[in-house]
Amino acid sequence: LDPLEAAERLKTRLSTAPMRTLSFEGESVATMVDGVVNRCQTHKVRPRKIVFEDHGLSGLLFMGRDAVTLNTLPSFRRDFARLGECITSTTEIYLLHCYAFADNGTLAKEISAIVGCPIYVGIRPQAIGNRAFEGPVRRATATEVHWVDKFSLSEAVLHFD
């Protein structure tokens, strides 16, 4: 999949969303979180859904140049905690990272404990910019992991490549 084509498809999909979508690229966890917080404060919104998208492996999230694992998570704790400045307990965070939930949700549970809202992660490979992302995912809170059989990102509020 051509990255430029994927980006254009993503912009097209997001432009048809039924609500305001704020989209940008981020080079690190700090940049991505700062982008969310700043845009939410500037636009005076509390997002229902936040989508982070990059590559992943079992128990590993690439977020720009950063590699987030259970071992590196303490160094990103402050960044993830900043999301609390703009989210509510009903906000949902989606991690579109291939195989990121292959660790049975351990990393997602830890991130959920930090940010204070559920984390959703797909269980199979995803093409970056996949405008038709659907299928089974897992939902993690700080204490539990559940399967979600039917899932779609048709109303994503924030998106990051």
Side-chain angles (χ1 to χ4, degrees):
L1 183 63
D2 178 353
L4 294 176
E5 180 185 330
E8 286 306 311
R9 283 187 8 215
L10 178 63
K11 288 177 186 173
T12 300
R13 179 177 70 87
L14 294 176
S15 70
T16 63
M19 63 196 71
R20 179 182 303 169
T21 297
L22 308 172
S23 174
F24 63 95
E25 295 180 9
E27 62 187 30
S28 66
V29 173
T31 303
M32 292 178 185
V33 170
D34 285 345
V36 171
V37 173
N38 291 336
R39 283 161 178 79
C40 288
Q41 290 173 346
T42 299
H43 295 277
K44 295 180 175 56
V45 297
R46 295 274 183 177
R48 287 188 288 163
K49 296 181 183 180
I50 299 171
V51 180
F52 293 102
E53 178 183 40
D54 210 323
H55 301 285
L57 299 168
S58 179
L60 169 68
L61 306 174
F62 288 107
M63 298 183 85
R65 68 175 178 258
D66 294 331
V68 181
T69 67
L70 288 176
N71 290 334
T72 64
L73 186 58
S75 63
F76 302 113
R77 182 174 299 278
R78 182 183 305 165
D79 295 317
F80 282 115
R82 283 206 59 224
L83 287 172
E85 296 177 29
C86 68
I87 67 170
T88 69
S89 61
T90 59
T91 298
E92 300 171 337
I93 295 178
Y94 298 85
L95 303 176
L96 298 186
H97 297 75
C98 295
Y99 301 116
F101 230 120
D103 68 344
N104 293 318
T106 305
L107 180 58
K109 284 171 56 176
E110 292 296 319
I111 295 172
S112 178
I114 295 168
V115 299
C117 70
I119 305 291
Y120 291 79
V121 182
I123 60 167
R124 58 184 166 192
Q126 297 298 320
I128 289 184
N130 181 3
R131 63 184 171 164
F133 179 87
E134 291 186 354
V137 297
R138 290 186 180 167
R139 177 186 187 270
T141 64
T143 58
E144 298 178 319
V145 174
H146 298 283
W147 282 98
V148 178
D149 293 327
K150 193 148 176 88
F151 174 79
S152 175
L153 280 177
S154 61
E155 297 181 356
V157 175
L158 299 166
H159 191 93
F160 307 87
D161 287 326

